[in-house]
Amino acid sequence: MLDAQDIHKSFGDGAILGGVSLQVRKGELVSIIGPSGCGKSTFLRCLNFLEIPDRGIINALGVTIARDGGPWRRADEQMAHRLRTHVGMVFQSFNLFPHLNVLDNVLLAPRIVKGGTSPSERDEAMVLLEKVGLGRVAQRYPVSLSGGQQQRAAIARALAMRPEIMLYDEPTSALDPIVAEEVLGVMRTLDDEGMTQIVVTHDMRFAQVASDTIVYMDGGHIIESGPPETLCVNPADDRTRRFLRTVL
């Protein structure tokens, strides 16, 4: 479903990613864990070219973009746009538009892409809001919602573009554990439905329970990866063991 090969990214003189490779199968839920500043979020943003990798190849959903250190070209941006239409992104900050109600936030992306909103698209948006447990607040504005409700609305907005892959950058880090569980429940439902999902998270309980694969990053590299029952119980690398001792 997604194949990232030898991804490098630097900001100024600071190397953030030093050759990261990851393969994700269709329907898989992959959690990326690691200490703050290790490059997790940068790598996630590189997967849909919100950050432009310096070098490396990303192949996803029939789109291949190769970077060799050269300038970012118009043809590259066109290919990245094709990729983004199939990849949903949910951020730590909810990024909802405060002047739009929940339903209109969900409808915004289809409206921009297609130039209008049909009755069937409004119906589909309501179905998505029901899926994430927000059907009854569709006409309310973001300021009146809890943090968990706002994040679920952000997930519904991403799903409105009918993505084949969902990316999440610390989707529950700003939420208390009880509210975070509401958001994690939506992600588990999507996993049950076969959605391919990649999650940068500090929530080790979710990573252990919900993930098919956990990836441990440190210092801009993937140190190791594997199923939760292997990586969390018997990690192969000392760096992984030290990290897990601090969070489990």
Side-chain angles (χ1 to χ4, degrees):
M1 194 70 166
L2 183 146
D3 184 8
Q5 302 175 27
D6 197 31
I7 303 301
H8 293 255
K9 179 65 179 179
S10 297
F11 293 105
D13 295 330
I16 306 301
L17 301 176
V20 177
S21 298
L22 178 68
Q23 292 76 44
V24 179
R25 298 184 299 272
K26 182 177 176 61
E28 191 173 19
L29 194 157
V30 175
S31 290
I32 303 176
I33 64 171
S36 297
C38 72
K40 305 184 300 294
S41 293
T42 298
F43 177 59
L44 192 78
R45 291 169 66 88
C46 284
L47 295 179
N48 69 346
F49 293 90
L50 291 179
E51 294 288 354
I52 308 302
D54 299 324
R55 289 186 286 123
I57 300 172
I58 293 176
N59 186 334
L61 305 165
V63 176
T64 300
I65 302 175
R67 299 283 293 138
D68 59 3
W72 183 245
R73 301 164 300 176
R74 180 176 178 83
D76 296 324
E77 180 57 37
Q78 291 172 339
M79 292 295 282
H81 178 71
R82 281 182 55 193
L83 179 66
R84 294 186 197 113
T85 61
H86 299 284
V87 179
M89 184 88 180
V90 176
F91 301 90
Q92 177 179 342
S93 55
F94 316 125
N95 293 334
L96 299 175
F97 290 96
H99 65 290
L100 299 177
N101 64 31
V102 171
L103 178 60
D104 285 336
N105 264 283
V106 172
L107 285 169
L108 184 61
R111 182 178 295 146
I112 291 173
V113 171
K114 299 178 183 178
T117 303
S118 68
S120 65
E121 285 167 336
R122 294 185 73 86
D123 292 342
E124 290 173 10
M126 284 302 304
V127 169
L128 288 175
L129 288 173
E130 293 288 351
K131 179 194 287 284
V132 300
L134 297 178
R136 292 194 289 182
V137 300
Q139 300 302 322
R140 287 169 54 180
Y141 288 82
V143 69
S144 71
L145 303 181
S146 70
Q149 288 174 319
Q150 290 187 57
Q151 191 62 290
R152 283 183 281 151
I155 293 174
R157 182 178 59 185
L159 292 173
M161 290 302 293
R162 302 176 184 173
E164 296 174 64
I165 299 174
M166 286 285 285
L167 308 178
Y168 307 85
D169 188 7
E170 299 283 5
T172 61
S173 64
L175 306 175
D176 67 57
I178 294 176
V179 174
E181 186 59 33
E182 301 171 1
V183 177
L184 299 176
V186 173
M187 296 163 67
R188 291 189 189 98
T189 297
L190 293 174
D191 185 46
D192 291 340
E193 295 174 354
M195 176 68 75
T196 305
Q197 301 178 89
I198 306 173
V199 188
V200 167
T201 185
H202 282 108
D203 191 327
M204 285 303 303
R205 185 175 58 85
F206 171 78
Q208 285 181 282
V209 172
S211 304
D212 298 298
T213 299
I214 298 179
V215 174
Y216 175 68
M217 286 187 66
D218 196 355
H221 298 272
I222 289 179
I223 305 304
E224 62 179 303
S225 64
E229 58 270 20
T230 299
L231 188 136
C232 293
V233 175
N234 189 28
D237 193 277
D238 285 341
R239 288 165 290 185
T240 313
R241 285 193 285 271
R242 285 196 298 270
F243 175 80
L244 291 175
R245 280 198 296 267
T246 67
V247 297
L248 293 179

